[in-house]
Amino acid sequence: MPQSHAQLPVLKKRAEFLKAAQAKRVPAGSFLLQARKRPEGEADGVRVGFTCSKKVGNAVARNRAKRRLREIARLILPELGRDGWDYVLIGRREQTDTRNFEALQDDLRRALRKAHA
């Protein structure tokens, strides 16, 4: 049963991001998706993390990009994310913060299909 308005658990520890970085990488055009199936018993549900390096731009651009990534994750992961998976969305310069919002959502849908294929 999808959790429609529930808050998705967010990755916060560096170690969690490093584990995801070793997993499947799926270029999604306006961002990069890293998807990792967790070993049994590590954590429940879908977890998500967000990152934007200084390459994305100044603090304003990075924060805008992260806000947009958080929003597409909130809308799409409860529906298409798989239980027992971690997802990290990585912002890209001049793409994540300027891309049409509908197209950004389509990018995540397409990336999730590729990651789970």
Side-chain angles (χ1 to χ4, degrees):
M1 175 165 129
Q3 10 164 207
S4 55
H5 294 291
Q7 192 90 20
L8 290 167
V10 177
L11 301 176
K12 290 190 170 92
K13 295 189 176 114
R14 184 168 189 268
E16 295 169 333
F17 280 92
L18 291 175
K19 284 179 187 173
Q22 294 169 353
K24 216 179 263 189
R25 286 184 144 109
V26 183
S30 52
F31 60 90
L32 178 72
L33 174 73
Q34 294 173 336
R36 167 184 176 254
K37 182 157 179 34
R38 293 188 305 267
E40 229 15 77
E42 189 177 314
D44 291 333
V46 173
R47 297 190 309 179
V48 64
F50 308 94
T51 184
C52 289
S53 74
K54 288 190 174 179
K55 289 180 195 169
V56 172
N58 63 17
V60 174
R62 290 194 307 272
N63 287 334
R64 176 177 159 82
K66 275 197 271 195
R67 270 196 313 273
R68 299 182 92 221
L69 291 174
R70 273 195 295 272
E71 186 59 13
I72 64 167
R74 187 186 70 79
L75 293 171
I76 292 168
L77 283 179
E79 167 195 346
L80 296 177
R82 291 205 180 152
D83 197 36
W85 283 66
D86 287 344
Y87 302 98
V88 176
L89 283 71
I90 302 172
R92 287 206 168 141
R93 175 179 38 205
E94 293 168 8
Q95 292 173 16
T96 306
D97 66 339
T98 56
R99 187 147 166 85
N100 171 299
F101 193 71
E102 296 298 318
L104 206 57
Q105 292 178 67
D106 289 341
D107 289 346
L108 180 55
R109 286 186 191 99
R110 197 167 30 255
L112 287 169
R113 278 195 298 274
K114 280 186 197 168
H116 296 147

